[in-house]
Amino acid sequence: MAFDNLCKYLAETYPEQFAEWLLGERIGDLEVLKTELQIEPIRADSVTFLRGENLILHLEFQVEPESRPSMPLRMLDYWVRLYRRHNVPVQQIVLFLKETQQDIPTEFRTANTWHRYQILKVWEQDSQLLMQNEGTLPLAVLARENQNTSLLEEVANRIGEMPTSERRRELYAQTQIFAGLRYDKNLIYRLLSEDIMKESVVYQDIIQRGIREGLQQGLQQGLQQGEEKIVFRLLKHRFGDLSEATMQKIQRLSLSQIENLSEALFDFKSADDLKTWLDATTTEIIEGSEN
């Protein structure tokens, strides 16, 4: 689910860049729409209204071709709900992140119903094009590789050119998640994690002591900070600014609990649901420590 949530975050944070990349043209005024499509609630990954084109751009992100219900049926269901609500053309694109040799269907057909949508295989895309924008830069590690250079190293170097340390750390953490679909973890640690650690005041001390556990802990903290940023952004997008008490509760969660929250938050109907979830999780932590 980390891949799915990160993709949703990037598409919601950089809707214009995704629309221009996928539609191949400059986009004017647009609006990120709510992704929950009523009836029996189902939630799309990304829905953007391109005002100038009078067009809805609907994106779904997939790691594997199989899903339940099947992807063709889901895309038909999404299309019907979007068209029914907004009454404008809907362009649907399913972005597949992990390379596969399996056939990927592009249509739903049964009896008198026929619905088609686009698919885009990220591993066939031009990595240089993805590296032109911050919003798509983390995805570049999954794109078509250049023959004479290491794509992961090139992306890492591009991130290193970012003007602020906060943005670099965020991009490194995001890129680590996607890189796990293609690269060996040791290579990921070497090219990405060390760059994050070098910005830490304790980095030189860790290197001098040569404590492997220290390096691993630093990596864990970097990953957790990246996950926290994504969760905070998604919660703010849905419920507005969070209270200081709520933010502190989230910051006390472990990495696995942060990942659980990143999945659960898409089912929350209001900020009260978030409070209930955090209270229940906090109770579990206290009871666990007492036992």
Side-chain angles (χ1 to χ4, degrees):
M1 289 300 296
F3 309 111
D4 195 45
N5 290 331
L6 177 52
C7 287
K8 294 174 186 178
Y9 164 74
L10 291 172
E12 286 190 354
T13 306
Y14 304 95
E16 182 176 350
Q17 294 178 11
F18 270 79
E20 291 179 356
W21 166 44
L22 296 169
L23 300 180
E25 59 185 63
R26 296 291 296 177
I27 300 299
D29 188 22
L30 56 77
E31 174 188 358
V32 176
L33 303 176
K34 292 183 178 180
T35 55
E36 181 177 320
L37 310 178
Q38 296 295 333
I39 306 179
E40 274 188 21
I42 59 173
R43 191 176 295 278
D45 283 349
S46 173
V47 183
T48 305
F49 179 38
L50 313 180
R51 295 185 186 277
E53 291 71 19
N54 195 37
L55 174 73
I56 297 267
L57 178 60
H58 166 215
L59 308 181
E60 290 295 315
F61 299 93
Q62 287 288 116
V63 175
E64 303 290 346
E66 296 86 2
S67 67
R68 293 186 181 181
S70 69
M71 181 56 66
L73 178 58
R74 287 170 54 197
M75 297 306 287
L76 172 62
D77 196 2
Y78 290 133
W79 185 91
V80 169
R81 298 186 191 212
L82 285 167
Y83 189 82
R84 178 176 172 178
R85 172 185 289 181
H86 301 285
N87 195 31
V88 298
V90 181
Q91 183 161 346
Q92 296 178 295
I93 305 177
V94 184
L95 292 84
F96 285 89
L97 306 178
K98 186 176 181 180
E99 185 169 0
T100 179
Q101 301 302 317
Q102 293 181 250
D103 291 333
I104 301 176
T106 60
E107 64 181 31
F108 174 87
R109 186 185 293 225
T110 179
N112 295 323
T113 301
W114 182 24
H115 176 67
R116 302 192 68 182
Y117 52 90
Q118 295 176 245
I119 64 168
L120 185 145
K121 301 173 181 178
V122 176
W123 62 90
E124 294 180 351
Q125 303 306 300
D126 183 353
S127 60
Q128 297 302 312
L129 183 61
L130 290 172
M131 279 190 273
Q132 290 178 6
N133 295 305
E134 289 185 31
T136 55
L137 179 56
L139 283 166
V141 294
L142 302 178
R144 188 171 63 243
E145 295 192 67
N146 299 325
Q147 294 181 350
N148 299 323
T149 185
S150 165
L151 178 57
L152 185 58
E153 184 174 4
E154 188 175 359
V155 172
N157 291 337
R158 189 68 60 90
I159 295 173
E161 297 170 358
M162 293 295 159
T164 67
S165 59
E166 181 180 3
R167 189 67 189 114
R168 287 196 296 272
R169 286 194 294 269
E170 188 173 359
L171 283 169
Y172 278 130
Q174 294 168 355
T175 303
Q176 283 178 330
I177 294 174
F178 287 127
L181 290 173
R182 172 182 278 185
Y183 298 97
D184 176 76
K185 65 179 182 180
N186 292 323
L187 179 62
I188 297 172
Y189 294 165
R190 181 169 63 84
L191 293 180
L192 297 175
S193 304
E194 288 186 358
D195 284 329
I196 298 174
M197 293 295 292
K198 286 175 183 176
E199 295 181 13
S200 168
V201 294
V202 299
Y203 175 76
Q204 292 300 327
D205 183 54
I206 292 175
I207 293 298
Q208 291 170 6
R209 295 201 310 267
I211 302 178
R212 184 177 180 84
E213 292 78 7
L215 288 171
Q216 187 62 38
Q217 182 180 5
L219 172 62
Q220 191 79 0
Q221 291 173 347
L223 289 172
Q224 179 152 346
Q225 290 172 359
E227 288 279 355
E228 282 181 4
K229 283 183 176 293
I230 293 172
V231 167
F232 281 137
R233 291 282 181 88
L234 290 171
L235 288 171
K236 183 176 181 180
H237 177 73
R238 297 199 63 195
F239 306 126
D241 291 333
L242 303 175
S243 68
E244 185 65 28
T246 298
M247 294 180 66
Q248 289 178 359
K249 285 185 178 180
I250 294 174
Q251 290 170 338
R252 287 196 292 267
L253 298 177
S254 67
L255 178 57
S256 62
Q257 289 164 339
I258 289 288
E259 292 173 345
N260 290 339
L261 175 57
S262 71
E263 297 178 17
L265 67 86
F266 290 102
D267 296 322
F268 296 163
K269 305 300 182 185
S270 68
D272 289 338
D273 293 333
L274 170 61
K275 182 179 184 301
T276 299
W277 190 94
L278 288 172
D279 289 344
T281 303
T282 303
T283 301
E284 291 177 2
I285 295 173
I286 294 173
E287 292 177 348
S289 63
E290 290 176 349
N291 294 333

